[in-house]
Amino acid sequence: MGNHLDRITHLSYSELPTGDPSGLEKEELRVGVAYFFSDEEEEVDDGGGGYTKDPSQEGPGAVSELEYSAFCSQECIFSKLRENQDLNVYSAKTLLSMCKPGDLVELVSTSQAPHWAVYELNDQVIHLHEGEIRKDSLTEIGRGRRGRIVNSRYRFRPLPSDLVLQNAAGHLGLHSGDICWTSSENFAAWCRFGKREFKAGGEAHSAEQQYFLKVHLGDGTRNGHAHTLVFRSLEDMIRERRRVDASGILKELSLGVSGGKE
């Protein structure tokens, strides 16, 4: 175990002009991903495991989860780092008071990949669930789970809120055969940013265009370790990150690094 851990946690950190706090240099990159892709769409259930406080409580809480940063051509395109953003989660009732039309909402649980939705108005969200684009109550789908607003998770330029809602509402009622997104996150992010890369097969694969996902292991991005995964498309990168979130494959390694164990 010790030798294996050394092989995947050897990366260092440096400053980049992109402004991302973790940094990424070409000589650091390692191809280290196994592709176990499937056309998944996670269930929204009442499992709330992993929270530091009861999901029904109103104040902010925390959930045990991995942190990530992602790059394309050395430009930071995605960041989920506790050191530079609020990763606290809230009850659905509290989240409802924080949301504005066009916001992206993420419902989290340690037992599943996060579920994303576009907030509309009056407790209503539009989301991809069980192979259908549908409208539901945020308090209903968030029951037993906690969530947060994730508008700034991706670093792309957002569309105006009215266009975000138009994108979402324009696809209500579509079912699996007509849907070109492989997860709730892909659909919600496409609604907000309008980038075809969020669609299945939305970009041509090329040797020049690569995506790099840093999975941060241990406490913090400066003192911790990271495992860098390489992908040929944004869709592939999102799918693998969600698979890791759902399976917890790297969580034991993260705990081992934090505690100095092999």
Side-chain angles (χ1 to χ4, degrees):
M1 177 63 182
N3 291 336
H4 178 68
L5 188 60
D6 289 341
R7 286 200 298 271
I8 70 171
T9 59
H10 61 282
L11 304 179
S12 60
Y13 297 93
S14 60
E15 288 295 329
L16 271 189
T18 60
D20 181 80
S22 66
L24 181 66
E25 292 184 346
K26 288 185 177 179
E27 58 267 24
E28 295 181 279
L29 305 178
R30 299 292 185 273
V31 179
V33 59
Y35 293 89
F36 297 99
F37 297 150
S38 62
D39 290 329
E40 54 78 37
E41 177 49 39
E42 70 288 342
E43 296 288 338
V44 180
D45 66 7
D46 58 0
Y51 296 109
T52 58
K53 60 194 302 182
D54 187 275
S56 64
Q57 293 184 21
E58 300 303 320
V63 63
S64 175
E65 56 188 342
L66 290 169
E67 298 179 35
Y68 303 92
S69 53
F71 303 82
C72 181
S73 302
Q74 295 203 23
E75 177 185 0
C76 181
I77 61 169
F78 178 94
S79 178
K80 178 189 173 185
L81 300 173
R82 193 171 299 279
E83 69 178 29
N84 70 343
Q85 57 191 279
D86 181 12
L87 296 185
N88 284 329
V89 290
Y90 302 84
S91 69
K93 181 179 179 181
T94 300
L95 191 61
L96 184 60
S97 69
M98 301 165 63
C99 286
K100 303 184 300 296
D103 282 348
L104 299 189
V105 174
E106 179 188 53
L107 300 174
V108 298
S109 171
T110 55
S111 61
Q112 296 176 320
H115 188 81
W116 287 44
V118 178
Y119 184 75
E120 187 184 47
L121 193 66
N122 298 328
D123 189 32
Q124 297 296 298
V125 294
I126 300 173
H127 62 139
L128 170 58
H129 177 49
E130 295 184 333
E132 180 185 1
I133 307 295
R134 50 189 287 175
K135 184 185 295 190
D136 287 298
S137 161
L138 174 59
T139 53
E140 287 296 318
I141 69 170
R143 184 175 297 168
R145 308 181 86 179
R146 293 170 72 85
R148 56 198 166 203
I149 297 170
V150 289
N151 293 337
S152 60
R153 189 68 59 81
Y154 286 96
R155 299 294 185 86
F156 304 122
R157 184 188 299 274
L159 299 172
S161 59
D162 58 331
L163 291 184
V164 176
L165 294 174
Q166 181 177 310
N167 282 340
H171 293 83
L172 279 170
L174 289 185
H175 290 79
S176 295
D178 302 312
I179 291 174
C180 55
W181 301 275
T182 55
S183 75
S184 59
E185 178 177 340
N186 290 69
F187 172 69
W190 175 83
C191 290
R192 182 166 178 82
F193 302 105
K195 294 183 72 65
R196 65 182 184 181
E197 289 87 346
F198 288 109
K199 293 184 175 182
E203 60 184 316
H205 293 175
S206 69
E208 295 76 22
Q209 177 110 332
Q210 290 183 315
Y211 293 84
F212 304 97
L213 177 68
K214 267 194 169 182
V215 185
H216 297 278
L217 308 173
D219 297 327
T221 59
R222 293 296 181 187
N223 300 321
H225 300 265
H227 182 34
T228 300
L229 312 179
V230 185
F231 300 91
R232 297 175 61 194
S233 71
L234 180 62
E235 179 199 0
D236 288 349
M237 186 191 75
I238 294 172
R239 197 185 303 220
E240 179 69 7
R241 175 173 51 76
R242 293 175 62 80
R243 187 187 70 86
V244 170
D245 278 337
S247 66
I249 287 175
L250 293 177
K251 287 179 182 176
E252 289 187 11
L253 293 177
S254 179
L255 293 173
V257 170
S258 299
K261 300 176 182 178
E262 293 189 349

